[in-house]
Amino acid sequence: MKKSKAEVGKKKIIEKTIDGLSENTKGSMCGYFILVLVYVAACIIVNTLSRSDKVLNISGAILPFSSFAGVLAALNNMCVIFMVVYYKKLGYFTALLALVIQMPVIFLTVINHHTLANIPGLFTDVFTIVAITMLFKNGEGVRRYQERLQEQALTDTLTGLPNRFACTELIENLIKRSEKFAIVFIDLRNFKSINDTMGFNVGNEVLIEIASRWRNVADSELTSTHDFIARLGGDEFALIIRKYHSNEDVLNTIKQYETALGSRLTIDGCDLYITASFGYAKYPSDAKTTDNLFSYADAALASGKKLGSSSNILRFSPDLLKKERIIDIERKLKLALQKDTMYFNLQPQYDINHKLRGFEALARMKDENGNVVSPGDFIPVAEKVGIVDKVDDAVIRKSTEFFGELIKKTGTDITLSVNVSVKHLMKNGFIDELREVLENRDIPANQLEIEITESIMIDSADKALKCIEDIKKMGIKIAIDDFGTGYSSLSYLNNFPADLLKIDKSFIDKMNISDSSKQYVAAIISMGHVMGYSVVSEGVEQQAQVDTLREIGCDYIQGFFWGKPMSAEEAEQLAMEECKLTTV
Ligand code: C2E
Ligand code: MG
Ligand code: MG
């Protein structure tokens, strides 16, 4: 029966896939020739030995040479079996030919030498032919069955295209061979609505039609590259592009697949308009593992939707991951603010004699799965998208509530420091907010401290200065955070109405490494004192740093060595213990 064109096409694709997968698994031709050689040599020796009347004398035991013929005949059979098992059709016909040729040779020997000694060899040949024919037929059956199984495992049943498994296997093979290629993820844009409105059958027809169009492109000479199209599942397809010279070639190939979608598909008399998005990543320039290539091609595809790109074809770039990450953090931030799940930790600050000075409230956030997102990640995003004031608000609201309660319970005179962004600081009504907080929570103004970063002070000088002066007038303390990381001039700093300088961790880290770094920190402390500021060192992690800071006159210490950021409950415990110590 003649096979249909589609069936032939499908067979071709599967063969291409299987070829791609089993490139290195075929039996070597060198082994085949060795088997043939051994076989021929053994035949000649058997023939000679069987007619020989010589004997071998081994310690008085007499062995006729002809008795070794049986051993070599067994070697012959072994060669024949190996040929059939390892070299399939080629091995079987070679063996058959060799055995059939031997028959007239045996007859001639019987006639010419008037001996019947070779007649059993004739029967051995016939029986061997029967045995290898059965072996070959059985092997063929198993091979056909294996092929069918392999075909099923590699094929997508709906469209007949190779499936995700085949695609992954091919990629792994290409990586093993270090062959460059591009993996393109394709997503049909409006497929879901077709499925929803017109039903699964029409959806399936669409997929079959698109697969067939793309298969034709892959099999044609339309592109300058070697392409392999697969269906990953649903409306997702993958295209592997090989043998390209430049990115231009990759783009041109993708465009051919885009064009093949056509302007419309007519299914069941209905005109459907289908478009697709393409996202691609290249091996080895973008990624070197299958997992990364898949996720990068997917990220490129998704970026088109998330970033609202006007192009249908997007290439992976490391920037994309960054943008995606920012978008993801922004989403988590907005969710946390909306559900009011933002919370705070408190990190203790001590004077140089290890007496508690107060706590710094630090914003904390978990995503919807309960994973902690670091403030080092979400604060810059909050600043970038303009919602950092909402973060500050949440932390100030919650931490002052806790602090007001703590004062009520213990009568403590320690300080609560809160971080405030410049956006929040300059917001109309911020001063009123602070006033309200102090009144509602019953917190004396001098027990609240606002931390603003040095760089912020410089960027928005005059307006910020006015706000800070107003805050200061209320009796609230002002700390300059991360001091040393900005470039504030001495004259500006001299006029700044702050109470405290917080030396950034980066200086404390280097302080004990070189004498000049130590002198630098010592100079900041002296300068701070001259200007009337107290000085806190941030990020103190070792006893040696505490010793040096004591020696050079630092006032306060904040760092993991004396206290990591802790929960409100732990902070309350710590404050209570301190109060007991002071009253004893
Ligand atoms: P920051 O205000 O300078 O806070 C100190 C940071 O240094 C905290 O990081 C703290 O955990 C960390 N730290 C303190 N001691 C050590 C130490 O010994 N070793 C090390 N490795 N780190 C130490 P965190 O909590 O990750 O906060 C990072 C930054 O995020 C803060 O730096 C602050 O600029 C910002 N931030 C935190 N909470 C808020 C907030 O409520 N509002 C605003 N606007 N910014 C906030
Ligand atoms: Mg701070
Ligand atoms: Mg800091």
Side-chain angles (χ1 to χ4, degrees):
M1 203 173 64
K2 223 175 159 215
K3 285 185 178 172
S4 72
K5 211 176 151 195
E7 266 178 15
V8 174
K10 181 175 160 186
K11 184 102 187 120
K12 221 166 126 188
I13 289 187
I14 297 301
E15 274 167 9
K16 237 167 132 182
T17 317
I18 295 171
D19 270 3
L21 303 185
S22 55
E23 201 130 301
N24 298 321
T25 59
K26 289 174 187 160
S28 91
M29 283 317 282
C30 180
Y32 169 77
F33 286 118
I34 290 173
L35 280 176
V36 173
L37 217 70
V38 173
Y39 182 82
V40 173
C43 275
I44 295 169
I45 300 171
V46 169
N47 223 314
T48 319
L49 289 182
S50 61
R51 281 182 285 111
S52 168
D53 43 16
K54 290 196 178 127
V55 292
L56 199 65
N57 188 341
I58 303 172
S59 310
I62 304 297
L63 281 175
F65 266 22
S66 57
S67 65
F68 289 99
V71 178
L72 286 149
L75 181 67
N76 263 353
N77 287 345
M78 208 171 79
C79 288
V80 160
I81 290 167
F82 277 3
M83 272 190 228
V84 177
V85 170
Y86 289 106
Y87 297 92
K88 316 271 164 10
K89 221 179 233 173
L90 173 69
Y92 171 69
F93 286 110
T94 312
L96 197 63
L97 187 72
L99 290 164
V100 171
I101 286 175
Q102 270 188 54
M103 290 188 186
V105 176
I106 293 173
F107 272 124
L108 283 178
T109 316
V110 171
I111 295 164
N112 289 345
H113 297 277
H114 304 289
T115 165
L116 292 179
N118 285 11
I119 288 290
L122 203 61
F123 287 104
T124 311
D125 270 9
V126 173
F127 291 144
T128 312
I129 289 173
V130 173
I132 62 164
T133 305
M134 284 170 69
L135 197 65
F136 174 66
K137 285 202 81 169
N138 189 40
E140 279 294 279
V142 172
R143 199 173 60 81
R144 266 199 296 276
Y145 183 65
Q146 273 177 339
E147 253 178 33
R148 237 190 1 259
L149 277 184
Q150 202 169 13
E151 189 177 312
Q152 277 167 9
L154 295 170
T155 319
D156 168 54
T157 41
L158 179 71
T159 60
L161 288 184
N163 60 13
R164 178 184 284 271
F165 177 70
C167 179
T168 315
E169 289 287 301
L170 180 59
I171 288 180
E172 274 168 10
N173 260 288
L174 294 174
I175 293 177
K176 240 183 248 164
R177 280 186 256 150
S178 301
E179 182 183 325
K180 72 169 183 179
F181 65 92
I183 166 86
V184 190
F185 270 20
I186 313 173
D187 184 50
L188 300 181
R189 279 210 178 132
N190 25 12
F191 183 72
K192 192 177 175 307
S193 67
I194 292 174
N195 245 354
D196 290 348
T197 53
M198 306 186 68
F200 277 116
N201 286 343
V202 173
N204 285 349
E205 292 282 315
V206 169
L207 292 174
I208 292 168
E209 176 58 27
I210 290 173
S212 130
R213 290 183 184 192
W214 282 343
R215 182 191 296 149
N216 289 341
V217 180
D219 289 345
S220 72
E221 305 284 304
L222 278 172
T223 62
S224 62
T225 50
H226 285 196
D227 319 329
F228 174 95
I229 180 88
R231 179 175 173 230
L232 302 181
D235 61 344
E236 283 178 13
F237 292 81
L239 173 65
I240 296 170
I241 302 176
R242 297 159 63 188
K243 314 276 181 219
Y244 58 84
H245 296 292
S246 62
N247 197 46
E248 199 68 21
D249 293 345
V250 174
L251 281 174
N252 285 338
T253 296
I254 298 175
K255 278 180 193 148
Q256 287 290 348
Y257 284 79
E258 194 182 19
T259 313
L261 272 180
S263 52
R264 64 173 181 208
L265 297 175
T266 308
I267 307 256
D268 277 357
C270 298
D271 285 343
L272 304 170
Y273 299 88
I274 308 267
T275 52
S277 313
F278 301 78
Y280 70 101
K282 294 204 282 193
Y283 170 86
S285 50
D286 292 333
K288 293 192 172 56
T289 64
T290 312
D291 278 357
N292 283 353
L293 282 161
F294 270 50
S295 62
Y296 287 2
D298 201 31
L301 185 67
S303 71
K305 288 182 210 158
K306 286 188 195 156
L307 308 175
S309 169
S310 54
S311 169
N312 288 342
I313 305 171
L314 283 131
R315 183 183 171 182
F316 166 79
S317 78
D319 267 3
L320 256 176
L321 283 189
K322 242 192 265 164
K323 277 188 206 151
E324 259 213 64
R325 214 171 134 251
I326 291 175
I327 290 169
D328 190 45
I329 293 175
E330 184 184 341
R331 183 188 58 77
K332 289 173 179 169
L333 248 173
K334 286 183 173 162
L335 194 71
L337 288 170
Q338 190 194 335
K339 294 196 166 170
D340 199 23
T341 53
M342 193 68 76
Y343 64 106
F344 63 94
N345 267 185
L346 294 164
Q347 185 174 28
Q349 296 172 342
Y350 292 93
D351 74 8
I352 205 73
N353 298 316
H354 209 161
K355 182 173 175 294
L356 189 68
R357 170 191 187 257
F359 293 103
E360 176 179 1
L362 295 160
R364 293 291 179 259
M365 181 184 120
K366 283 183 184 163
D367 66 11
E368 61 272 37
N369 303 318
N371 302 317
V372 173
V373 185
S374 149
D377 290 335
F378 72 76
I379 295 286
V381 174
E383 273 165 0
K384 196 159 180 252
V385 298
I387 51 174
V388 69
D389 53 323
K390 299 208 166 57
V391 176
D392 292 348
D393 242 353
V395 175
I396 294 177
R397 182 166 43 85
K398 294 185 180 185
S399 64
T400 51
E401 189 178 347
F402 157 81
F403 194 58
E405 284 298 311
L406 186 73
I407 293 175
K408 218 179 274 169
K409 268 193 221 164
T410 61
T412 180
D413 60 356
I414 60 173
T415 306
L416 176 73
S417 308
V418 290
N419 294 282
V420 171
S421 60
V422 71
K423 183 169 182 233
H424 199 183
L425 189 74
M426 295 200 276
K427 205 164 118 181
N428 292 336
F430 177 58
I431 307 285
D432 293 335
E433 267 174 44
L434 279 181
R435 197 166 287 124
E436 227 172 275
V437 160
L438 294 179
E439 276 168 21
N440 289 349
R441 314 285 199 228
D442 253 344
I443 300 175
N446 66 351
Q447 281 184 257
L448 187 68
E449 186 169 74
I450 302 280
E451 290 191 12
I452 46 164
T453 59
E454 185 196 13
S455 50
I456 281 169
M457 274 166 40
I458 304 156
D459 290 345
S460 26
D462 288 344
K463 195 167 176 210
L465 196 63
K466 168 85 182 66
C467 296
I468 289 161
E469 274 163 358
D470 289 347
I471 295 170
K472 181 99 186 164
K473 272 186 213 145
M474 287 168 62
I476 294 173
K477 285 184 276 188
I478 304 287
I480 303 172
D481 203 355
D482 303 339
F483 185 76
T485 55
Y487 303 94
S488 42
S489 72
L490 274 184
S491 66
Y492 183 75
L493 203 62
N494 199 22
N495 294 324
F496 202 80
D499 300 273
L500 201 85
L501 271 191
K502 295 186 78 176
I503 307 178
D504 191 67
K505 179 176 183 298
S506 52
F507 297 98
I508 307 303
D509 286 343
K510 283 184 264 173
M511 185 181 61
N512 278 351
I513 295 171
S514 74
D515 195 52
S516 64
S517 303
K518 178 177 156 184
Q519 294 310 327
Y520 190 73
V521 176
I524 297 177
I525 295 172
S526 313
M527 185 196 68
H529 286 163
V530 168
M531 292 177 181
Y533 306 141
S534 299
V535 180
V536 179
S537 290
E538 283 192 279
V540 178
E541 293 180 337
Q542 302 155 10
Q543 179 64 54
Q545 291 170 334
V546 176
D547 295 342
T548 306
L549 289 168
R550 188 175 285 127
E551 181 196 324
I552 57 181
C554 181
D555 306 290
Y556 301 109
I557 302 274
Q558 180 178 347
F560 288 179
F561 185 61
W562 275 352
K564 288 192 173 176
M566 54 184 79
S567 67
E569 294 74 33
E570 288 168 318
E572 181 175 331
Q573 191 80 24
L574 183 68
M576 301 266 227
E577 278 162 20
E578 280 282 327
C579 278
K580 271 188 228 147
L581 280 178
T582 339
T583 45
V584 170

